[in-house]
């Protein structure tokens, strides 16, 4: 922790949570806002559905790649410079998307957006642990997850409205405006939470040793898989939203918000419960509870899709409950990851984000196109991704003494 951690933020804890949540939401916000405009972009740029999907894959893979470096840069240069530079690049890339006249240009600027948005997600996690001890850090991390949930619920509503009434270009002009507001807010409000004495040299060999050390740590990899892969059980439905909501549930683009409201309500509910449980029950017990919720819900979701034709009256609720289970356990797992390497907290956050984002990109580019047109296939894929995380957690539990998990 920063030696003067108690002096870095004088305002209420929840106000810092809002600021950090806004940083963390920039990445998902850049995805959810433009999903309702897929059809309009394809028609205007004469692009195929596969090419439109590439605008998403390019973003996610660029996000995953650069996530490896945001945290290491913040360990060396400080948290503020990395955050502010990332927001500036995102704003310029959003302008580039807005003025794109070909699908190639749009893919390029979407990739540039992906390279920049990871700074907020990665560095915000390190900032929390720089300032707060474990129990307080879990409460703040849960608050961040809770506030973070509001933005993706609003994003498709805003995106759908802008697309229908103005056009798809307006979606990216809106994202550029978000970048400007976020940049100014962090310029004036975000403190530098990495003390000068804790900065690490930004040199190739020490960095490489750090990456090798983390990448070869079974405990680190299992924790990252336990939190990152189950997220894709929910994210798969987000990626498949235009097809899942339009073809299977017969919703118009302006009605997509029902799906996001349901999902984000689950995230916010799980985050709220996680914050209330902080310091009251053992960490591993809370994680098991989150996995239990996801397991039961994903199995029931598969059974329902096998027995019934998907209908908006019931098909959205399992996704929201699954999201609740994920949000219940992920703040705890994230803090476990950060505390494995306190001297390289930014790098740890980077590696965790990279593993999660790489799996996101794989799901977006490979899994989602294969399963999105069949509701049963979507439910099976969701269950399998939850099972990967559960298997990783179970393996970790068997190989780690219970006392080390507290």
């Amino acid at each position: 922790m920063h030696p003067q951690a108690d002096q870095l933020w004088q305002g209420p804890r929840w106000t810092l949570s809002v600021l950090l949540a806004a940083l963390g939401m920039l990445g998902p916000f850049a995805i959810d806002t433009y999903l309702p405009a897929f059809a309009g972009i394809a028609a205007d740029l004469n692009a195929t559905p596969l090419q439109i999907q590439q605008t998403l894959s390019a973003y996610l893979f660029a996000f995953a790649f650069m996530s490896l470096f945001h945290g290491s840069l913040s360990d060396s240069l400080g948290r503020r410079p990395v955050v502010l530079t990332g927001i500036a690049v995102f704003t310029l890339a959003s302008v580039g998307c807005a003025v794109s006249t070909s699908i190639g240009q749009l893919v390029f600027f979407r990739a540039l957006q992906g390279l920049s948005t990871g700074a907020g997600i990665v560095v915000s996690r390190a900032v929390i642990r720089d300032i707060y001890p474990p129990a307080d850090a879990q409460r703040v991390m849960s608050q961040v997850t809770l506030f973070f949930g509001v933005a993706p619920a609003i994003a498709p509503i805003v995106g759908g409205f802008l697309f229908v009434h103005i056009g798809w270009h307006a979606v990216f002009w809106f994202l550029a405006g978000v970048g400007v507001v976020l940049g100014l807010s962090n310029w004036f409000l975000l403190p530098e939470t990495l003390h000068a004495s804790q900065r690490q040299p930004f040199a190739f060999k020490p960095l490489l040793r750090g990456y090798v050390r983390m990448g070869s740590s079974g405990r680190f990899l299992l924790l990252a898989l336990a939190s990152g892969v189950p997220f894709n059980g929910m994210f798969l439905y987000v990626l498949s939203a235009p097809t899942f909501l339009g073809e299977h549930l017969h919703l118009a683009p302006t009605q997509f918000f029902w799906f996001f409201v349901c999902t984000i309500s689950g995230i916010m509910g799980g985050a709220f419960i996680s914050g209330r449980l902080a310091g009251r029950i053992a960490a591993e017990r809370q994680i098991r509870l989150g996995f239990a919720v996801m397991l039961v819900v994903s199995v029931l979701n598969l059974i329902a899709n096998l027995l019934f034709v998907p209908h908006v009256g019931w098909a959205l609720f399992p996704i929201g409950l699954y999201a609740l289970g994920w949000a219940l356990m992920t703040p705890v797992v994230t803090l476990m990851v950060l505390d494995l390497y306190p001297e390289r907290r930014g790098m740890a956050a980077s590696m965790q984000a990279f593993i999660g984002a790489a799996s996101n990109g794989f799901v977006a580019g490979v899994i989602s196109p294969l399963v999105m047109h069949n509701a049963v296939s979507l439910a099976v894929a969701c269950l399998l991704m939850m099972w990967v995380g559960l298997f990783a957690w179970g393996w970790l539990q068997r190989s780690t003494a219970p006392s080390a998990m507290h």
Side-chain angles (χ1 to χ4, degrees):
M1 290 176 60
H2 193 288
Q4 289 85 41
D6 58 340
Q7 302 174 20
L8 293 177
W9 189 264
Q10 299 298 322
R13 185 185 298 164
W14 68 267
T15 57
L16 178 63
S17 299
V18 171
L19 184 66
L20 297 178
L23 283 175
M25 68 82 184
L26 194 60
F29 206 75
I31 296 173
D32 296 343
T33 310
Y34 95 126
L35 287 178
F38 267 25
I41 296 173
D44 191 41
L45 300 182
N46 296 315
T48 65
L50 178 60
Q51 288 175 318
I52 294 298
Q53 194 72 20
Q54 287 173 348
T55 66
L56 186 57
S57 298
Y59 173 92
L60 291 170
F61 280 115
F63 178 96
F65 170 76
M66 195 60 197
S67 291
L68 280 172
F69 304 102
H70 290 306
S72 299
L73 287 168
S74 76
D75 284 339
S76 301
L77 305 176
R79 313 302 189 202
R80 271 179 60 89
V82 175
V83 167
L84 295 174
T85 301
I87 295 172
V89 173
F90 170 81
T91 304
L92 293 175
S94 298
V95 172
C97 290
V99 300
S100 293
T101 56
S102 70
I103 191 64
Q105 291 176 4
L106 185 60
V107 169
F108 170 79
F109 284 113
R110 284 290 291 166
L112 191 59
Q113 279 187 322
L115 289 173
S116 60
T117 52
I121 294 175
V122 170
V123 178
S124 63
R125 293 173 180 174
V127 167
I128 292 172
R129 198 60 183 89
D130 287 342
I131 299 179
Y132 295 110
D136 288 337
Q138 183 184 332
R139 294 186 184 95
V140 175
M141 192 77 73
S142 298
Q143 286 181 342
V144 167
T145 306
L146 192 152
F147 290 123
F148 159 90
V150 176
I154 297 173
I157 302 174
V158 174
F161 178 86
L162 292 172
F163 167 60
V164 170
H165 294 283
I166 305 177
W168 68 267
H169 299 278
V171 173
F172 292 105
W173 284 116
F174 170 74
L175 289 176
V178 170
V180 171
V181 172
L182 199 55
L184 290 173
S185 300
N186 282 273
W187 177 271
F188 289 108
L189 299 176
L190 183 68
E192 179 53 70
T193 62
L194 184 69
H195 193 265
S197 64
Q198 298 169 334
R199 298 193 179 190
Q200 302 290 326
F202 192 77
F204 178 75
K205 287 186 178 180
L207 281 177
L208 184 60
R209 282 196 298 269
Y211 285 123
V212 170
R213 181 187 175 197
M214 291 184 193
S216 59
S217 167
R219 180 171 170 77
F220 175 86
L221 292 176
L222 290 171
L223 281 170
L225 289 173
S227 63
V229 179
F231 170 78
N232 283 285
M234 171 182 59
F235 191 52
L236 176 66
Y237 281 94
V238 176
L239 294 168
S240 307
T243 302
F244 174 66
L245 301 177
E247 293 183 10
H248 301 319
L249 302 186
H250 309 294
L251 296 177
T254 51
Q255 297 174 308
F256 283 12
F257 74 94
W258 288 114
F259 165 73
F260 290 97
V261 166
C262 188
T263 304
I264 301 309
S265 295
I267 293 177
M268 295 176 68
F272 176 79
I273 297 171
S274 178
R276 298 288 292 179
L277 294 178
R280 298 185 179 183
I281 65 173
E284 70 272 18
R285 184 180 173 192
Q286 184 169 331
I287 294 170
R288 285 198 303 269
L289 182 60
F291 271 117
V293 172
M294 288 189 288
L295 176 61
V296 171
V297 169
S298 55
V299 169
L300 291 177
N301 183 48
L302 175 57
I303 293 172
N305 278 282
L306 286 169
L307 296 178
F308 307 106
V309 175
H311 188 273
V312 68
W314 63 264
L316 300 181
F317 293 108
I319 307 168
L321 291 173
Y322 183 99
L324 185 148
W326 175 82
L328 180 60
M329 52 81 75
T330 199
V332 186
V333 178
T334 297
L335 289 173
M336 286 181 175
V337 170
L338 296 178
D339 285 344
L340 285 177
Y341 304 99
E343 77 285 358
R344 281 285 192 183
R345 197 167 283 138
M347 181 183 286
S350 274
M351 287 285 285
Q352 182 190 27
F354 171 77
I355 292 172
S359 64
N360 293 349
F362 179 76
V363 170
V366 179
I367 304 299
S368 179
L370 289 176
V371 302
M372 67 170 59
H373 296 289
N374 185 283
V376 173
S377 298
L378 277 168
V380 170
C382 174
L383 176 60
L384 290 176
M385 282 183 274
M386 183 285 308
W387 192 256
V388 170
L390 182 59
F391 178 79
W393 174 250
W395 192 351
L396 180 66
Q397 283 285 82
R398 285 192 296 271
S399 60
T400 306
S403 60
M405 300 304 299
H406 294 272

